């Protein structure tokens, strides 16, 4: 069959559950020239799929992972082999044996309601009914999810192999990949020990061998394999006479890092309680050599008894029936972890046509395959995948030592209760701004993002709390990584002037004779303005989804500074940049101080030779000038809704800039303020945060940023799709909690007329307003004043739909 754009030659490396699912999804979309290469024997080639216990719990704090798991359940339920279903829907049960875990299960029930998964918190007695072998006296409650269950991964692989083969795909086992051929930056073929296979597109779905394939292609795959203990008991009297593979829900005992499933009259037990056991993917034995060394398969390492003993004691405590049982068999199974625990998906820009579908567990396998197939065939997946995008990691997060350390920590934290603000503990500090030493002197409380140390508040401002009056008490969860100092910093910003470290925000430089035409085509707003103009604009995809939001400053006819969000923005622009346009990331070599508050002009004007009056330096304008001895690019922007400027300079002059502003601001009462106050202030103004409030699943009009789209100008990416969109059925909606003492944190379900209708994106207490502000995706057309309820840790909290912006609707504070 000859290759055509409508039916390119595709080689998939790996015939585990991901590779088989992908072949099925691609052929279902009309791409039938598919070759799947596997180094081991089919249908059980010896990777993670071959030993996976198959537990599928759909609910996750990540909306994306939940969507991927939901599709996996839906698809596998529809598949069977010889009358045996590929999914055994026995349900799931998660146990709480501590108050902290019970609260976490309530939060997880909230995620389930937010993302459309059936689930409910049940009593200890109901847990006992569902799993009679547990000691009910240890249990405080459980989360029952009736649509979860057991994926029969090898059967699902076989079923999808058969369907894909019927459409023209071929599956070749015993073919070990030895190289990736390329020409002019594109993949052209895959070399194996049994010949070369020409290819227009290659997908690495090699599982924990992903880094090996990636090295052949010259593509970094930030993935660390680790071994995980799984044991199976001998026959149990309590299960004697059982004929079904399983009849009880799959069970999680997260307080002891354990899970359980039935194997007819036996129980299988998995443990994450042991020390991390990293595996070198380059040292994993081939299938035949592993078998020769008495290993079941390459992914199955010898069971380490010394690691198992504490978990076995915990098992026997939870299930007294196990006290007389013995472990019949066990192994340490290898599977993949990334620095953030998410899959690695997408096409490499460095080698076009080379795709990754790596670090994918059985739970998400069919969902990932569908999304990648859509991406390859249609140009974009139907769900937001920014959390999984292969470009998401910073360069500082791609070193082998970082991937190993963070991958091991992800293993440790699989069942931990993770706060949404919880920072990584190691390696830190990794990236610091030039102001870091001064921030430490001010008692900064640092959290972490993208490797950056980010001050969330400063203990030096603690004396300002006394002037606030009483603040609402917080529960232990919402008080974590929070301080009343944030309220003081917000007040000081509204009433005086504050310095904010904005260095971690991404900065790109776009230059060259074609730069204006390029950016004008790639973004949604009008950039054809004179130098000195700053424009808020959007990066859209061809379907009109919001890939990112940007601030674009035209500093010279052919030079722009772009404020962006993630490494994916740089990658997207580089993919599309013509030869006469140069795009580079200047973040690490520069820094930024936000100077905001009604006294901001009083602070900066005496330090600069330029006129910073409103008439001479208007809102959304930029100037290259000096602050004291420091050359800066000053932009009149505000993410907090107050008068002020973002001041940019090179990293070597950053400390001098900070000290100059600090010394000059002493008589004005200047403070340093952190991101906790910033988040509160920006939500009071209704400023969106990309990746949280809006993603490429949303269009600008429903997200409330339609003002950044100029449909009356020349063509731009996404324009045609937006022109064809009908009336929005959902809106990003501002809510004010009715109770001044109530707070929510984000991702909670929102109920309208007693039914789940949407979910909170981001939330923070609005200290100026005296209420918690929450933004939520809700049905369009809810009038202002509509009462709703937000479920927070099992409690229904009343809230009201509000008009936006909630603070300073006439923008008088910014434009003065």
């Amino acid at each position: 069959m000859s290759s055509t754009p409508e039916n390119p030659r595709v080689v998939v490396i790996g015939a585990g559950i991901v590779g088989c699912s992908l072949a099925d999804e691609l052929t279902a979309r009309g791409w039938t020239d598919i070759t799947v290469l596997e180094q081991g024997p089919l249908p059980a080639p010896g990777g993670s799929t071959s030993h996976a216990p198959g537990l599928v719990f759909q609910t996750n704090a990540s909306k994306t992972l939940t969507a991927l798991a939901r599709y996996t359940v839906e698809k596998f339920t529809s598949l069977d082999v010889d009358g045996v279903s590929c999914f055994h829907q026995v349900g799931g049960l998660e146990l709480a044996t501590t108050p902290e875990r019970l609260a976490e299960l309530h939060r997880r029930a909230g995620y389930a309601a937010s993302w459309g998964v059936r689930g409910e918190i049940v009593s200890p007695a109901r847990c006992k009914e569902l799993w009679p072998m547990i000691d009910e006296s240890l249990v405080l409650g459980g989360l029952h999810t009736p649509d979860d269950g057991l994926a029969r991964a090898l059967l699902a692989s076989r079923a999808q192999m058969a369907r894909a083969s019927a459409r023209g795909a071929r599956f070749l086992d015993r073919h070990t990949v030895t190289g990736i051929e390329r020409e002019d930056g594109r993949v052209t073929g895959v070399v194996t020990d049994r010949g070369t296979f020409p290819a227009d597109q290659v997908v690495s779905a090699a599982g924990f061998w992903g880094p090996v394939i990636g090295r052949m292609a010259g593509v970094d795959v930030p993935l660390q394999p680790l071994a995980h203990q799984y044991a199976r008991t001998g026959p149990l009297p309590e299960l004697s006479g059982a004929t079904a593979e399983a009849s009880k829900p799959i069970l999680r005992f997260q307080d002891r890092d354990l899970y359980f499933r039935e194997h007819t009259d036996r129980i299988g037990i998995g443990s994450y309680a042991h020390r991390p056991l990293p595996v070198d993917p380059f040292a994993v034995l081939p299938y035949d050599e592993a078998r020769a060394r008495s290993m079941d398969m390459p992914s199955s390492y010898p069971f380490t008894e010394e690691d198992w003993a504490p978990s076995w004691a915990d098992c026997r405590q939870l299930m007294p029936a196990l006290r007389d049982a013995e472990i019949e068999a066990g192994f340490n199974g290898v599977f993949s972890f990334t620095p953030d625990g998410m899959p690695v998906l997408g096409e490499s820009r460095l080698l076009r046509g080379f795709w990754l579908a790596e670090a994918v567990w059985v739970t998400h396998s069919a969902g990932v395959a569908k999304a990648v197939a859509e991406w390859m065939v249609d140009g974009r997946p139907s769900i937001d995948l920014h959390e999984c995008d292969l470009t998401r990691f910073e360069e500082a997060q791609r070193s082998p030592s970082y991937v190993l350390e963070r991958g091991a920590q992800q293993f440790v934290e699989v069942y931990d209760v993770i706060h949404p603000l919880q920072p990584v503990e190691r390696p830190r500090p990794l990236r610091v701004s030039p102001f870091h030493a001064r921030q430490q002197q001010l008692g900064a409380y640092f959290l972490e993002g993208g490797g950056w140390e980010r001050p969330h508040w400063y203990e030096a401002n603690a004396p300002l709390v006394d002037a606030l009056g009483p603040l609402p008490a917080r529960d232990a969860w919402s008080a974590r990584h929070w301080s009343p100092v944030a309220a003081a910093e917000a007040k000081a910003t509204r009433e005086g002037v504050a310095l904010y470290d904005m260095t971690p925000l991404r900065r790109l430089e776009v230059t060259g004779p074609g730069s204006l035409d390029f950016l004008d085509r790639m973004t949604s707003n009008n950039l054809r303005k004179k130098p000195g103009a700053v424009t808020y604009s959007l990066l859209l995809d061809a379907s009109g989804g919001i890939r990112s939001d940007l601030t674009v400053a035209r500093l010279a006819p052919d030079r722009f500074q772009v404020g962006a969000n993630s490494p994916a923005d740089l990658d997207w622009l580089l993919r599309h940049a013509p030869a006469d346009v140069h795009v580079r990331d200047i973040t690490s070599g520069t820094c930024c101080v936000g100077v905001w508050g009604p006294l901001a002009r009083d602070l900066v004007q005496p330090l600069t030779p330029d006129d910073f009056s409103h008439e001479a330096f208007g809102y959304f304008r930029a100037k290259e000038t000096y602050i004291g001895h420091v050359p800066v690019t000053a932009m009149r922007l505000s993410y907090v809704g107050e008068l002020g400027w973002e001041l940019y300079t090179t990293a070597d002059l950053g400390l001098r800039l900070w000290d100059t502003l600090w010394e000059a601001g002493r008589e004005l009462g200047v403070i340093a303020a952190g991101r906790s106050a910033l988040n509160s202030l920006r939500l009071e103004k209704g400023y969106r945060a990309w990746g949280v409030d809006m993603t490429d699943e949303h269009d600008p009009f429903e997200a409330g940023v339609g003002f950044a789209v100029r449909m009356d100008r020349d063509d731009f990416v996404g324009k045609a799709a937006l022109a064809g969109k009908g009336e929005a059925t959902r809106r990003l909606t501002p809510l004010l909690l009715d109770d001044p003492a109530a707070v929510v944190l984000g991702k909670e379900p929102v109920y309208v007329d007693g039914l789940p209708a949407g979910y909170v994106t981001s939330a923070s207490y609005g200290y100026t307003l005296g209420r918690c502000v929450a933004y939520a995706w809700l049905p369009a057309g809810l009038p202002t004043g509509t009462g709703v309820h937000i479920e927070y840790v099992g409690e229904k909290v009343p809230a009201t739909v509000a008009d936006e912006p909630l603070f300073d609707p006439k923008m008088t504070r910014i434009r003065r």
Side-chain angles (χ1 to χ4, degrees):
M1 182 181 296
S2 61
S3 171
T4 67
E6 295 77 25
N7 193 26
R9 297 168 298 184
V10 180
V11 174
V12 178
I13 301 173
I17 189 62
V18 177
C20 292
S21 298
L22 182 59
D24 182 46
E25 295 287 341
L26 287 171
T27 55
R29 287 165 175 76
W31 283 19
T32 56
D33 191 355
I34 311 292
T35 301
V36 183
L37 301 175
E38 174 53 58
Q39 63 179 342
L42 291 175
S48 299
T49 300
S50 301
H51 73 245
L55 283 75
V56 175
F57 284 90
Q58 298 171 84
T59 305
N60 195 284
S62 164
K63 179 175 179 287
T64 296
L65 287 187
T66 302
L68 297 173
R70 285 182 63 193
Y71 180 78
T72 300
V73 169
E74 175 188 326
K75 183 175 186 181
F76 288 0
T77 301
S78 71
L79 298 175
D80 70 85
V81 175
D82 299 329
V84 179
S85 174
C86 294
F87 192 78
H88 190 19
Q89 205 155 46
V90 291
L93 179 63
E94 304 178 49
L95 300 178
T97 59
T98 65
E100 294 77 15
R101 181 65 63 179
L102 185 59
E104 172 70 359
L105 293 189
H106 277 288
R107 286 186 288 270
R108 289 180 58 77
Y111 299 147
S114 291
W115 315 144
V117 176
R118 289 200 302 156
E120 64 173 340
I121 299 296
V122 296
S123 67
R126 178 60 176 152
C127 293
K128 179 73 170 178
E129 289 177 13
L130 292 166
W131 254 92
M133 293 172 63
I134 66 172
D135 181 350
E136 180 186 355
S137 69
L138 300 177
V139 178
L140 302 181
L143 172 60
H144 182 220
T145 46
D147 298 327
D148 291 339
L150 293 166
R152 298 180 170 114
L154 286 177
L155 278 188
S157 297
R158 287 175 56 194
Q160 292 176 103
M161 285 173 60
R163 296 196 335 172
S165 297
R167 302 185 191 114
R170 56 177 177 166
F171 291 78
L172 304 176
D173 63 2
R174 299 293 188 173
H175 281 65
T176 299
V177 174
T178 58
I180 306 294
E181 292 188 332
R182 69 199 87 174
E183 185 175 334
D184 296 328
R186 284 203 62 88
V187 69
T188 59
V190 177
V191 183
T192 77
D193 58 350
R194 298 175 65 177
T196 298
F197 296 83
D200 305 301
Q201 306 275 350
V202 172
V203 185
S204 178
F208 57 77
W209 283 286
V212 178
I213 303 300
R215 181 177 293 182
M216 295 178 193
V219 174
D220 179 41
V221 181
L223 175 164
Q224 177 59 53
L226 287 109
H228 157 62
Q229 288 202 306
Y230 191 78
R232 189 181 300 196
T233 69
L236 300 173
E238 292 77 7
L239 299 178
S240 63
T243 56
E245 177 188 4
S247 60
K248 302 174 185 62
I250 51 175
L251 183 69
R252 275 174 163 171
F253 181 24
Q254 289 114 312
D255 288 326
R256 291 294 184 269
D257 296 308
L258 293 165
Y259 64 81
F260 303 83
R261 59 152 294 181
E262 295 167 284
H263 292 279
T264 313
D265 62 349
R266 295 161 168 81
I267 292 180
I269 307 164
S271 171
Y272 294 99
H274 56 83
R275 62 195 166 95
L277 299 168
V279 173
D280 180 357
F282 294 88
V284 176
L285 298 176
Y287 185 92
D288 291 327
E289 189 172 342
R291 296 285 288 177
R293 298 193 185 186
S294 300
M295 295 166 59
D296 288 339
M297 59 191 80
S299 63
S300 177
Y301 278 50
F303 193 64
T304 47
E305 294 283 355
E306 65 277 14
D307 292 309
W308 176 250
S311 290
W312 188 224
D314 290 330
C315 294
R316 288 170 156 175
Q317 183 180 19
L318 178 68
M319 297 186 189
L322 297 180
R323 290 170 186 170
D324 295 324
E326 298 294 335
I327 295 300
E328 183 177 73
F331 65 95
N332 291 358
V334 182
F335 62 143
S336 303
F337 286 83
T338 58
D340 60 3
M342 301 292 286
V344 180
L345 312 176
E347 182 191 17
S348 169
R349 176 177 51 82
L350 301 177
L351 183 59
R352 299 295 181 91
F354 185 81
W355 294 76
L356 296 180
E358 298 291 11
V360 182
W361 294 7
V362 170
T363 301
H364 311 110
S365 54
V368 163
K370 178 190 177 188
V372 172
E374 292 171 335
W375 208 343
M376 296 175 72
V377 177
D378 304 327
R380 72 184 296 272
S382 58
I383 66 169
D384 167 47
L385 290 180
H386 82 271
E387 293 177 311
C388 309
D389 195 295
L390 61 86
T391 65
R392 69 187 181 272
F393 295 112
E394 305 283 349
E395 280 300 312
Q397 298 173 309
R398 289 183 170 273
S399 70
S401 58
Y402 185 93
V403 173
L404 171 59
E405 186 168 359
R406 292 302 312 149
Q409 188 62 25
Q410 287 297 325
F411 178 92
V412 170
E413 294 176 354
V414 162
Y415 284 165
D416 284 4
V417 176
I418 304 295
H419 192 276
L421 293 177
Q422 183 169 320
V424 304
E425 295 181 0
R426 298 178 307 174
R428 289 181 66 191
L430 186 61
R431 307 174 79 185
V432 298
S433 80
F435 325 129
H436 186 67
R438 299 293 183 264
Q439 293 165 344
Q440 288 179 306
Q441 292 166 4
L442 293 170
Y445 183 88
F446 291 101
L447 298 183
E448 183 270 353
W452 287 101
E453 295 296 314
R454 303 184 180 202
H456 271 240
W457 67 83
Y458 296 86
E459 284 300 324
N461 297 323
L464 301 178
V465 174
D466 295 336
L468 294 176
L471 288 171
R474 288 208 171 200
D475 66 281
W477 185 250
S478 64
R480 194 176 299 183
H481 305 299
W482 174 85
S483 168
V485 173
E489 293 176 359
K491 178 180 172 66
T493 306
R494 290 276 187 243
E495 297 179 356
V497 61
L499 305 184
Y500 287 82
D501 180 4
M502 306 302 286
T503 300
L505 299 185
R506 186 166 307 279
R507 293 171 291 285
L508 310 178
E509 183 183 71
V510 182
T511 58
S515 53
L516 175 59
D517 289 341
F518 168 63
L519 287 173
D520 203 45
R521 184 178 73 257
M522 295 299 296
T523 67
S524 64
N525 213 335
N526 176 30
L527 303 185
R528 295 189 179 279
K529 304 171 184 176
K530 294 179 181 179
V534 183
T535 305
Y536 178 78
S537 194
L538 305 171
L539 281 181
L540 305 177
D541 61 24
S543 298
I546 305 170
R547 286 190 56 91
S548 188
D549 64 341
L550 312 172
T551 53
V552 184
R554 192 176 188 187
L555 302 179
D558 295 335
R559 180 166 62 91
F560 295 80
Q561 182 171 309
V562 178
N565 284 295
S566 76
D569 296 343
L570 173 64
D571 185 83
W572 179 254
L573 293 176
L574 286 172
R575 285 174 186 270
H576 294 89
D580 62 348
V581 174
H582 305 285
V583 184
R584 68 186 186 103
D585 192 326
I586 60 172
T587 308
S588 296
T590 55
C591 60
C592 177
V593 182
V595 184
W596 291 317
L599 300 181
R601 184 175 287 116
D602 299 84
L603 174 53
V604 298
Q605 183 61 83
L607 300 174
T608 179
D610 281 282
D611 186 353
F612 271 47
S613 68
H614 182 65
E615 295 73 23
F617 197 159
Y619 191 51
F620 267 83
R621 300 291 298 172
K623 285 186 180 182
E624 294 184 295
T625 182
Y626 290 87
I627 296 294
H629 297 94
V630 180
V632 300
T633 299
M635 297 187 196
R636 181 132 178 236
L637 306 174
S638 174
Y639 201 45
V640 298
E642 296 292 338
L643 171 69
W645 289 264
E646 293 178 356
L647 303 176
Y648 298 88
T649 191
T650 53
D652 60 321
L653 291 168
L655 190 58
R656 184 60 178 262
L657 174 62
W658 180 278
D659 288 346
T660 299
L661 293 166
W662 188 261
E663 190 60 35
R666 284 183 184 275
E667 62 184 32
L668 299 172
V670 70
I671 68 160
R675 293 182 68 87
S676 186
L678 183 143
N679 197 46
S680 170
L681 297 169
R682 70 99 179 167
L683 280 170
E684 290 183 331
K685 282 297 293 178
Y687 294 150
R688 276 60 167 155
W690 183 84
V692 179
D693 298 314
M694 56 189 185
T695 69
D696 61 6
E697 289 186 359
H698 310 111
D699 73 53
F701 304 111
E702 61 189 10
V705 289
F707 62 87
V709 179
R710 289 287 300 272
M711 296 295 291
D712 59 347
R713 68 178 184 83
D714 292 341
D715 193 27
F716 57 87
V717 175
K719 179 181 178 181
L722 292 181
K725 284 190 179 290
E727 192 70 23
T729 59
R730 59 183 178 179
R731 297 282 183 191
L732 186 60
T733 305
L735 304 173
L736 277 176
L737 273 63
D738 295 351
D739 182 352
V743 295
V744 297
L745 300 181
K747 300 186 178 182
E748 297 89 355
V750 182
Y751 291 77
V752 178
D753 296 329
L755 298 174
Y759 60 92
V760 174
T761 56
S762 53
S764 179
Y765 200 85
Y767 301 109
T768 317
L769 303 172
R771 292 285 192 281
C772 183
V773 180
Y775 271 77
W777 281 103
L778 291 172
L782 293 179
T784 300
T786 299
V788 302
H789 287 85
I790 303 172
E791 184 177 326
Y792 178 73
V793 197
E795 299 292 328
K796 296 292 199 309
V797 180
T800 302
V801 174
D803 277 329
E804 63 175 339
L806 303 168
F807 176 79
D808 189 26
K810 296 183 178 179
M811 304 284 281
T812 56
R813 299 177 69 91
I814 293 177
R815 295 188 172 102
R816 61 181 175 182

